[in-house]
Amino acid sequence: MRRAALALGLFLAAGCASGPGAPEVHLFTWDNYDDPELFAEFERRHGMRVVIDRFASNEELLAKLMGGTQGYDLIVPSDYMVSIMAREGLLSELDKAALPNLSHMDPRFMGLYYDRPNRYSVPYLWGVTGIGYDSDEVSPAPEGWSAFWDPRYKGRMSLLNDQREVFAMGLQSLGLRADTRDPADLRKVQRRLKEQKSLVKTYVSESMEYLLLSGEVALAHVWSGDINRAKAEKPSLRFVIPKEGGFIFQDNLCIPAGARNKDGALKLMDFLMEPQSVARLVEKVGFGSANRSAWKLLSPELRANPTIVPQDALLKRLEWIPDPGELGPVYDRLWTELKAL
């Protein structure tokens, strides 16, 4: 789902060694999810320029491709969106013979619910949705989602601006699963979220860590990578995986069916799976990787972080937030009603 971001428009990665007439690989990805220096290295090695465009949500990515937008060679959809795009015929099958670095992937992140044979996708970065807080302001440390109903933090908390994440959090707080197919469960959650609405300062997914860094909020519904980056600037920040479980997401590398440079996309995909590339990327963006060979290249601090290097005990606690399927319109209506209050 990850990670909603401001759409920043087209950007040519800095440090290109290839000339203006060189082939281009067009990457459509999230903000704060890449490293221009890394792409410059790819360009030097392969003589192809990497052109980056950015989307704000999985739904924006889907809308662009469903609307007939052409020209993207490599995209980065989250887990549930891979299954939707594959069903809509928007993805190309992968030539795995062109991806030798796929051998570095941890089996726990392969063959997942959204693409069992990995026909269309390979793992890129993964993360956890949980609770970020400032330990100088919040005491005792929050243990579960109930913290977001605590009146002590009225006006000092933020939630993700993401209906799937917010409703999943509400479901888990009631002891229900995120994969429920009962509209009555969703209406129950909406009532609980309406009760909470007056406590929330804002719903935000774009650079939400800056609210914690600035002190505007003390408690935030966040993705692990964002809080991992923020902690480097403000050591009092902490991340808690709620006792109810929390949520896992996996972002993936995929080639759209309409890609014009599939060979270049495969080269870039394989480059981004090289252990050295992955380690550099993880150090920069703070999200985890499924690349086993990259873990030993990380700093000791990151190797000890279970949201970076996965631990079985953690993975077993986390839930996936699946495609809502036929409940999509119900989610849309309930979310619109909540936001309109």
Side-chain angles (χ1 to χ4, degrees):
M1 104 204 38
R2 188 187 254 64
R3 281 53 31 222
L6 290 172
L8 299 182
L10 278 177
F11 167 76
L12 292 179
C16 294
S18 45
E24 295 177 340
V25 184
H26 289 251
L27 172 66
F28 200 22
T29 187
W30 305 87
D31 189 28
N32 290 326
Y33 228 46
D34 50 63
D35 182 353
E37 293 182 6
L38 198 58
F39 292 133
E41 162 128 4
F42 171 81
E43 293 166 354
R44 285 191 294 270
R45 190 185 303 181
H46 293 283
M48 296 183 199
R49 294 190 295 172
V50 180
V51 181
I52 306 177
D53 198 0
R54 305 187 191 277
F55 53 82
S57 68
N58 279 291
E59 286 65 34
E60 180 188 344
L61 167 61
L62 177 64
K64 286 245 182 157
L65 269 64
M66 290 284 286
T69 299
Q70 300 290 313
Y72 297 125
D73 301 308
L74 193 61
I75 57 176
V76 191
S78 299
D79 44 270
Y80 76 100
M81 188 52 66
V82 172
S83 59
I84 294 173
M85 293 180 132
R87 188 169 64 242
E88 296 295 332
L90 297 173
L91 301 179
S92 294
E93 292 195 26
L94 299 178
D95 177 6
K96 293 178 186 173
L99 301 172
N101 284 309
L102 195 56
S103 63
H104 296 292
M105 294 299 159
D106 188 309
R108 292 174 295 176
F109 289 84
M110 299 291 290
L112 296 174
Y113 79 97
Y114 54 90
D115 184 13
R116 292 290 182 195
N118 286 105
R119 180 176 298 157
Y120 304 104
S121 64
V122 298
Y124 186 43
L125 297 173
W126 73 280
V128 180
T129 309
I131 303 168
Y133 70 100
D134 189 334
S135 60
D136 288 343
E137 304 288 336
V138 176
S139 181
E143 295 182 352
W145 293 125
S146 62
F148 290 105
W149 280 265
D150 190 332
R152 290 181 300 166
Y153 304 112
K154 181 177 182 178
R156 301 210 61 210
M157 66 173 72
S158 65
L159 296 185
L160 290 167
N161 190 25
D162 186 305
Q163 67 186 45
R164 294 172 66 260
E165 288 276 17
V166 172
F167 272 83
M169 179 266 290
L171 285 163
Q172 223 178 49
S173 76
L174 290 171
L176 300 169
R177 289 189 56 82
D179 60 0
T180 181
R181 286 295 183 262
D182 187 346
D185 287 342
L186 299 183
R187 289 192 292 271
K188 188 186 301 183
V189 168
Q190 190 206 44
R191 290 193 293 272
R192 182 158 165 75
L193 293 171
K194 284 181 175 179
E195 295 169 0
Q196 176 208 48
K197 180 76 182 293
S198 64
L199 303 179
V200 179
K201 178 181 178 65
T202 186
Y203 296 81
V204 61
S205 298
E206 305 89 2
S207 304
M208 83 288 287
E209 69 269 25
Y210 293 114
L211 293 176
L212 286 166
L213 287 169
S214 67
E216 291 183 64
V217 302
L219 192 69
H221 180 212
V222 296
W223 291 306
S224 53
D226 297 316
I227 198 73
N228 284 337
R229 291 196 308 274
K231 283 193 296 185
E233 296 184 47
K234 192 173 185 180
S236 62
L237 297 184
R238 303 284 188 273
F239 182 70
V240 169
I241 297 167
K243 62 183 180 182
E244 297 89 345
F247 302 97
I248 183 173
F249 59 85
Q250 172 70 62
D251 291 328
N252 302 270
L253 298 172
C254 301
I255 298 176
R260 295 171 182 167
N261 187 359
K262 291 184 180 180
D263 179 65
L266 286 166
K267 284 184 169 61
L268 180 56
M269 186 182 289
D270 196 58
F271 173 79
L272 291 173
M273 289 191 288
E274 288 183 4
Q276 295 82 357
S277 298
V278 173
R280 286 174 57 180
L281 191 62
V282 169
E283 294 272 1
K284 183 175 178 65
V285 305
F287 284 99
S289 170
N291 190 306
R292 294 179 298 176
S293 303
W295 298 337
K296 63 185 178 183
L297 304 177
L298 298 173
S299 67
E301 180 182 4
L302 290 185
R303 286 201 303 273
N305 185 332
T307 71
I308 299 288
V309 177
Q311 298 175 4
D312 282 339
L314 171 61
L315 295 179
K316 289 175 182 176
R317 291 177 51 200
L318 301 171
E319 280 189 68
W320 295 94
I321 307 177
D323 168 20
E326 71 281 359
L327 282 182
V330 179
Y331 271 94
D332 291 342
R333 176 174 56 80
L334 295 178
W335 178 247
T336 300
E337 291 172 359
L338 175 67
K339 296 293 292 292
L341 287 177

